[in-house]
Amino acid sequence: MTDLGKIDRDFFDEVIYPNLGADRDDVVVGPQHGVDFGVLSVGDRAVVLATDPVSILPDLGWERAGRLALEVVLADVAVSGVPPTHLAVSLSLPPDVTDDELTRLWRAISDHAADLGVSVASGHTARYPGIDTSWVGGATALGVGDPDDVVRPDGARPGDDLVISTGPAAEVTGLFATLFPEALGLDAETVATAQERVEDVAVVADARAAFESGDVTAMHDATEGGIQGGLAEMADGAGVRFDLDREAVPVAPGVEAVCDAVGIDPWASSSAGTLLIAVADGAGAVVDALESRGTPAAVVGEVSAGEGVYVDGERVRAPDADPAWAVFRDLSER
């Protein structure tokens, strides 16, 4: 099993998937590799839900840290095509977080949730000894909507176009440049540009704009394993082949410099906020809708019968582990 980040597929298949508690008829979509949300059938409504850890990085500033954390925990529901509507959040904070800091953090989360139409329905907030990392709890996001609106990441079909927004490694670029600016060995202007990548994480509004603009058949966010891992999960789940043109994929300023500096492949590294989208009709309209929001996007390839992900004709596979985890650990220990 991997020692950092998500457990690997073998462990999931051997331990997690066979042991899912009671077998209930109202669970339409349960835990599956490559599908980051579940779906419940409640009356005539679909309830899409997903749970993620909450990461708060004070070095970003409490307000910005709160907004980023919220975007990450809402992302897996947002890519379902059903917008997130409710949130349950548990914060287990270090004892040294002050009342003022907690106030700034929570108000930022609440204000951003209100802007996105999300209501906090339940939660738990406390300080506990022994907690000194950025991982300070967990949250469950829910979206209540029409069952016909649910889009799965494994829904791509031959003939679809592939759209990518934002591009590879924007998230880790922004975080490394903000948290470890002196360790990168880059000039101040490049570091400042790379730090702006934290603001690229706007997956909730971007996913909604994409869904409303074209016939979206599959949507996934490029978190652990990056766009390479996300595309592999999508193609494998759908049993189809993806062909991409590397030069067509947008790359945000600062990404290549930071990834070169820390020695990671941007295509294999996490990029929360980057959307991988299969579109049956209206790919150009999806790109236009994203770009009208200030999010770079492009049609980068197509779906056909077959299997695997091919970039410029060469097959690529999901990385065994996201390389950003090891870099984060190494930089944190310096």
Side-chain angles (χ1 to χ4, degrees):
M1 187 172 74
T2 53
D3 63 342
L4 292 174
K6 286 185 179 180
I7 60 171
D8 59 36
R9 183 163 188 171
D10 288 342
F11 190 88
F12 176 87
D13 289 341
E14 293 172 9
V15 178
I16 305 299
Y17 187 74
N19 300 287
L20 298 176
D23 185 9
R24 294 181 54 92
D25 292 339
D26 55 0
V27 179
V28 179
V29 177
Q32 298 177 44
H33 185 77
V35 180
D36 293 330
F37 58 82
V39 181
L40 305 179
S41 177
V42 181
D44 63 349
R45 310 300 284 167
V47 178
V48 181
L49 67 162
T51 297
D52 269 303
V54 174
S55 175
I56 301 296
L57 299 167
D59 286 349
L60 298 178
W62 291 100
E63 291 81 3
R64 189 161 62 150
R67 293 193 298 271
L68 175 63
L70 182 64
E71 284 283 347
V72 171
V73 301
L74 296 179
D76 288 340
V77 170
V79 298
S80 74
V82 174
T85 53
H86 300 83
L87 180 71
V89 58
S90 175
L91 296 179
S92 298
L93 301 166
D96 59 356
V97 173
T98 68
D99 285 354
D100 176 68
E101 291 167 340
L102 178 53
T103 297
R104 291 159 57 194
L105 171 68
W106 186 253
R107 285 179 175 168
I109 292 173
S110 175
D111 289 348
H112 195 44
D115 290 342
L116 297 173
V118 175
S119 176
V120 177
S122 179
H124 175 92
T125 307
R127 299 181 181 92
Y128 294 112
I131 298 173
D132 58 3
T133 73
S134 67
W135 302 103
V136 292
T140 296
L142 299 95
V144 180
D146 188 330
D148 293 336
D149 287 344
V150 175
V151 174
R152 293 170 53 121
D154 55 2
R157 304 188 298 260
D160 289 354
D161 290 314
L162 295 171
V163 172
I164 292 181
S165 72
T166 303
E171 173 206 3
V172 297
T173 292
L175 293 180
F176 287 157
T178 301
L179 301 177
F180 313 107
E182 302 300 326
L184 300 179
L186 299 172
D187 64 86
E189 182 178 355
T190 300
V191 170
T193 297
Q195 289 172 344
E196 296 173 2
R197 302 285 66 79
V198 175
E199 304 301 328
D200 292 344
V201 183
V203 65
V204 178
D206 281 350
R208 195 63 196 161
F211 178 80
E212 292 178 343
S213 302
D215 182 6
V216 174
T217 59
M219 190 157 43
H220 205 15
D221 60 331
T223 49
E224 288 199 44
I227 62 174
Q228 192 167 311
L231 291 167
E233 288 180 344
M234 292 174 71
D236 181 61
V240 294
R241 170 172 170 151
F242 287 179
D243 282 279
L244 289 88
D245 174 6
R246 184 179 293 270
E247 290 298 318
V249 176
V251 179
V255 167
E256 292 180 339
V258 169
C259 288
D260 286 346
V262 299
I264 59 175
D265 178 359
W267 277 53
S269 302
S270 178
S271 190
T274 292
L275 291 176
L276 314 173
I277 311 168
V279 187
D281 183 56
V286 169
V287 169
D288 289 344
L290 290 167
E291 291 190 332
S292 71
R293 287 186 28 75
T295 300
V299 179
V300 301
E302 60 186 9
V303 182
S304 62
E307 63 178 19
V309 178
Y310 292 79
V311 179
D312 296 338
E314 181 179 349
R315 185 163 187 175
V316 298
R317 301 180 186 275
D320 293 332
D322 192 313
W325 282 114
V327 172
F328 186 87
R329 178 177 58 188
D330 292 345
L331 293 176
S332 298
E333 292 175 350
R334 289 186 183 181

